[in-house]
Amino acid sequence: MKTIFKILITFAAIPILFASCKRDLGWKQPIGEDGSKPAAITNVTVTNLNGKAEISYTLPKDPNVLFVKAVYTMTNGQQAEKKAAYYNNTLTVDGFADQAPKPYEVKLYTVTRAGIESEPVSVTVTPLIAPIWLVKESITMINAFGGYNLAANNPTKADIAILILKRNEFNQWEIDNKKSIYTNVDTVLSKIRALDTLNYTFPVLVRDRWGNTTDTVYKPVKPIYEAEFSKSLFRAFVLPGDAPQVTNGARLEYAWDNLFGWPNTSFTLQTTGGTGPHTISFDMGITAKLSRVWIRPFPEGTRYYFLTTMKRFEIWGSANPSLTGAFDNTWILLGSYVVVKPSGLPYGTDNSVDQTTAAAGFNWDIDINAPKVRYIRIRCLENFAGGTAQSINELSVFGDNR
């Protein structure tokens, strides 16, 4: 009976305990209850930039102010708002797309935690020429083997799209997403291939992220004839000083056998090849003007930018080489190249973009002014492991073989 009595006392105490936990230990003023109008900003200065303006100011000493708000109308007629937290004293207004400086009114407010706005402070900004016009004026399109090379400068690194237009099935203009470029880098380069040797005129315009666009320019292009050379004619052409292949299955000829994976790869051996640059040489079987060499690196599992994958290398050519193995005047440097991992991740770590990019292979352009050649040498200066051994899973050579 005593035990039952103790249990009843315990259960009776539980509501009392919870009640004490819920007890209000003191009244606190809710955040944002102050409904007074805040003071405005002072000492406003404007720095005009390309397509935008930076506004600096002095904040009032008011603990209720939460942020500063700018209200203005962009070039496209839409109203915009920009906010800056209380601990900042600058704010950037953008979305302007004029070809020449033009004044715009911006109204600035301080806003409290309760959402109360100050009286507006009006300021005039006069942004400089918008980035889309800088990009548009710099665009060049030059004829290339099998297509064209488009280059442009984007000095402010703005988010822009260089749009290439095409006719659709209804004979209306639409964006060609396969040729258009979406970027924010300062130097733009796009290489389009697989076009016929016809006369083309491509409409081109530039758009920013607010939908502002330039006028359309029309760029004429006539691709230079390009064909893939027949690999059935390729032969090993080993010269003195060329690096030996590994002895457990790899062969130089596997670099052009149209097969991927191990052992169907060219793979030089660091230990017997020495610490200097590793070179392989082969005969294409024809004398032709080269446009590009396509190289697919060999993956170690899922890692392409690893071990003997070439990081810095050269391609040399000759129509009638000496047999000494020296890079003498019978050889001409066709190009120097650097492989860049798209993700920038540390050595030994490839993400899906890295893998997809490398698995598709890299196209290395040959100097368009280079003479016709028949013999090719690929010279590895540095691999991703820091050595000089090289591996090539597959390669193809393109150009004018007529």
Side-chain angles (χ1 to χ4, degrees), residues 127-401:
L128 307 179
I129 180 174
I132 55 174
W133 298 101
L134 297 175
V135 175
K136 180 241 177 183
E137 293 302 320
S138 71
I139 293 174
T140 61
M141 291 176 70
I142 62 172
N143 300 335
F145 284 97
Y148 64 81
N149 293 345
L150 183 152
N153 296 320
N154 181 22
T156 66
K157 296 184 179 181
D159 293 314
I160 55 95
I162 299 176
L163 303 177
I164 312 296
L165 305 184
K166 66 176 181 179
R167 294 276 189 184
N168 62 18
E169 58 183 318
F170 305 106
N171 202 35
Q172 298 171 327
W173 290 111
E174 66 179 15
I175 296 170
D176 188 338
N177 285 313
K178 292 183 178 179
K179 295 184 177 68
S180 298
I181 308 158
Y182 304 85
T183 185
N184 59 6
V185 299
D186 55 352
T187 301
V188 182
L189 179 61
S190 173
K191 299 177 180 180
I192 299 298
R193 298 293 181 264
L195 297 180
D196 201 352
T197 54
L198 304 173
N199 288 305
Y200 298 87
T201 299
F202 292 104
V204 184
L205 65 154
V206 184
R207 185 181 67 194
D208 64 20
R209 62 191 180 92
W210 297 276
N212 300 306
T213 60
T214 65
D215 56 340
T216 303
V217 294
Y218 297 86
K219 298 289 186 180
V221 168
K222 186 176 183 181
I224 303 169
Y225 175 83
E226 181 188 64
E228 181 179 353
F229 300 162
S230 174
K231 297 180 184 180
S232 65
L233 301 178
F234 291 8
R235 298 288 184 271
F237 185 67
V238 181
L239 293 171
D242 282 4
Q245 298 283 305
V246 298
T247 57
N248 59 341
R251 294 181 57 194
L252 174 56
E253 292 83 355
Y254 288 160
W256 53 81
D257 64 357
N258 291 316
L259 297 174
F260 296 155
W262 182 261
N264 301 95
T265 185
S266 167
F267 209 125
T268 67
L269 189 61
Q270 190 77 67
T271 53
T272 56
T275 58
H278 278 211
T279 301
I280 62 169
S281 309
F282 65 97
D283 175 6
M284 297 189 299
I286 57 169
T287 300
K289 187 173 181 61
L290 274 58
S291 60
R292 58 191 167 104
V293 177
W294 173 84
I295 295 177
R296 183 186 195 267
F298 173 77
E300 293 281 351
T302 59
R303 293 176 293 186
Y304 285 89
Y305 308 81
F306 194 60
L307 297 180
T308 55
T309 293
M310 294 189 294
K311 186 175 184 180
R312 295 188 302 113
F313 68 99
E314 300 169 340
I315 298 178
W316 294 71
S318 176
N320 185 26
S322 67
L323 302 180
T324 65
F327 286 91
D328 55 24
N329 58 9
T330 65
W331 291 94
I332 182 170
L333 180 63
L334 301 177
S336 298
Y337 311 96
V338 177
V339 177
V340 177
K341 183 193 290 190
S343 69
L345 289 170
Y347 174 73
T349 304
D350 292 5
N351 66 14
S352 59
V353 174
D354 296 331
Q355 294 163 0
T356 301
T357 302
F362 299 99
N363 282 296
W364 305 107
D365 288 349
I366 302 300
D367 183 356
I368 197 169
N369 297 313
K372 293 183 176 182
V373 298
R374 172 169 173 164
Y375 301 89
I376 301 294
R377 304 188 84 181
I378 299 176
R379 186 170 183 249
C380 180
L381 306 178
E382 180 188 5
N383 60 33
F384 272 83
T388 54
Q390 60 162 288
S391 57
I392 297 175
N393 203 174
E394 190 68 22
L395 64 78
S396 300
V397 185
F398 298 81
D400 189 345
N401 56 356

Side-chain angles (χ1 to χ4, degrees), residues 48 72-77 93 95-98 100-107 122-127:
N48 293 305
Y72 61 100
T73 301
M74 298 185 293
T75 305
N76 59 15
V93 291
F96 304 105
D98 298 293
K102 178 182 175 180
Y104 289 86
E105 182 185 30
V106 178
K107 292 185 177 180
S122 182
V123 64
T124 299
V125 300
T126 312

